[in-house]
Amino acid sequence: MGDFFMEQHKKYMLRCIQLASNGLGNTYPNPIVGSVIVNNNKIIGEGYHTKAGTNHAEINAINSVKDKSLLKESTLYVNLEPCSHFGKTPPCSVKIAELKIPKVVIGTIDTTEKVSGKGIKIMQNAGIEVISGVLNNECRKINKRFFTFHEKKRPYIILKWAQTSDGFIDILRNETTEQKPKWISGPTERTLVHKWRANEQAIMVGKNTVIFDNPELTTRNWYGKNPLRIIIDNNLQLVKNLNVFNTSAKTAVINSITHKQVSNTISLIKVSSKNSIYEQIFSFLYNSEIQSIIIEGGQKLLQSFIDNNLWDEARVFVGHNFFYQGIKAPELKKSNLTRKQKFCKSTLLFFENNSII
């Protein structure tokens, strides 16, 4: 393939990725997918997957083409291999074959058992020229939650915390200390965190964080669905008037005592101390089709995930203030700083660990 054609393919694949990102947080358990249809180097149709159970990106792109006769001489671009099985919607690969679209350019293969090359084969058997692997890494990265879930059988794990310039995550507190947290970051950062929560399916904190901060763990400052709240409370010591037990979102309490559905929004999930608590939590999340989780604290919980190398990325706000003493922030022993973002009261650092690429 000539350099000119590859550059053209990359240009349109970048548009697919851009479109796909519009669905982040709304398509679970499906991946995020964007598609464009090109005729004579001009985009004549485009679309993205908006929600599970609705049309996939390829169908939305096809439906947006005004002159359907052009489809037989056009190229369809999509960041993920078109599906090959019947779910809530018919298989896209079959529809593409029926419409006799002559060329399909794919960003990356769908490695799930239901697809994994089957969509490509359907289209090739119909005489369609299929090109795959265009911006493969970028296309896998945008669906890092989907690929991690299916390939590693666990959710994509995001660690998040704020620390002072001198490396403290909190002041020294006990149960008699005033519960309001001493903020390290500002209101802009807190709004961003709520946006992150809307993009992920679950959020986890430990018992002490609930006791000291009484967080709600919702997306109240941003539009979007509240994540499943997961609380580690081994001996079920938390009182039920805390914010994490309100009806704003569902809450699962990981404990060693009982397994019980307490109400429509509260469930108790029993784990055994004889086995790895992480494997048991991941098994629960995997069976619940939870593809992503944010670990928000406290320090011991965050550090335990780091020490067991069970994280994919970390987002750390480093405030401009100092505590001089208190609870030390978690330490990333293995990390790759990817970028920084500056705010008035802090600098946000992004780290990567277990790459799915």
Side-chain angles (χ1 to χ4, degrees), residues 294-306:
I294 303 177
I295 313 298
E296 284 210 9
Q299 191 273 346
K300 290 182 180 179
L301 182 64
L302 287 161
Q303 194 65 56
S304 70
F305 274 83
I306 294 170

Side-chain angles (χ1 to χ4, degrees), residues 50-284:
T50 59
K51 185 180 179 180
T54 64
N55 285 338
H56 290 185
E58 302 93 318
I59 305 304
N60 285 332
I62 289 168
N63 289 343
S64 73
V65 176
K66 293 181 179 179
D67 185 355
K68 296 295 191 293
S69 67
L70 294 176
L71 291 172
K72 293 183 179 181
E73 52 188 57
S74 300
T75 299
L76 183 145
Y77 291 82
V78 62
N79 60 286
L80 186 68
E81 177 184 1
C83 62
S84 56
H85 60 286
F86 282 88
K88 293 182 179 179
T89 58
C92 294
S93 55
V94 172
K95 184 65 175 179
I96 293 168
E98 289 175 352
L99 292 171
K100 301 186 187 311
I101 297 173
K103 181 185 290 188
V104 174
V105 179
I106 298 168
T108 192
I109 304 300
D110 184 339
T111 57
T112 58
E113 186 178 350
K114 289 182 178 180
V115 186
S116 191
K118 297 183 182 71
I120 290 176
K121 185 172 290 187
I122 287 172
M123 293 184 293
Q124 288 177 331
N125 288 342
I128 295 172
E129 178 187 357
V130 179
I131 298 170
S132 62
V134 176
L135 297 182
N136 179 73
N137 287 355
E138 291 85 347
C139 290
R140 277 184 62 83
K141 190 168 185 176
I142 196 174
N143 270 307
K144 56 193 176 184
R145 299 159 181 82
F146 178 78
F147 284 118
T148 297
F149 178 80
H150 287 285
E151 295 176 3
K152 296 186 177 181
K153 310 303 180 186
R154 66 160 175 81
Y156 187 82
I157 302 169
I158 300 168
L159 308 182
K160 170 263 165 185
W161 72 86
Q163 66 182 61
T164 59
S165 290
D166 53 349
F168 293 99
I169 196 172
D170 199 357
I171 57 175
L172 293 173
R173 292 192 281 172
N174 55 48
E175 293 187 29
T176 61
T177 306
E178 184 181 0
Q179 284 190 333
K180 290 183 179 179
K182 190 170 183 180
W183 290 106
I184 295 172
S185 58
T188 302
E189 294 95 308
R190 292 196 286 276
T191 299
L192 177 60
V193 169
H194 286 210
K195 179 182 179 182
W196 290 346
R197 291 175 181 175
N199 291 338
E200 314 307 334
Q201 287 187 281
I203 184 170
M204 179 187 290
V205 297
K207 179 189 68 176
N208 287 341
T209 296
V210 176
I211 292 173
F212 296 146
D213 295 346
N214 193 22
E216 192 166 343
L217 305 179
T218 61
T219 62
R220 58 195 179 278
N221 290 339
W222 191 265
Y223 174 80
K225 186 178 180 181
N226 289 320
L228 170 67
R229 300 178 292 204
I230 301 175
I231 313 300
I232 308 295
D233 182 14
N234 192 47
N235 296 313
L236 295 178
Q237 296 173 303
L238 295 174
V239 295
K240 302 311 176 191
N241 63 345
L242 292 163
N243 287 334
V244 293
F245 298 118
N246 63 26
T247 57
S248 297
K250 290 185 177 181
T251 300
V253 183
I254 307 298
N255 71 94
S256 62
I257 296 175
T258 186
H259 190 95
K260 182 181 179 181
Q261 188 69 39
V262 178
S263 67
N264 290 335
T265 57
I266 301 174
S267 57
L268 306 180
I269 309 299
K270 183 179 179 181
V271 296
S272 171
S273 58
K274 297 180 180 180
N275 302 312
S276 166
I277 186 174
Y278 302 103
E279 290 183 5
Q280 295 173 81
I281 292 173
F282 292 156
S283 177
F284 161 68

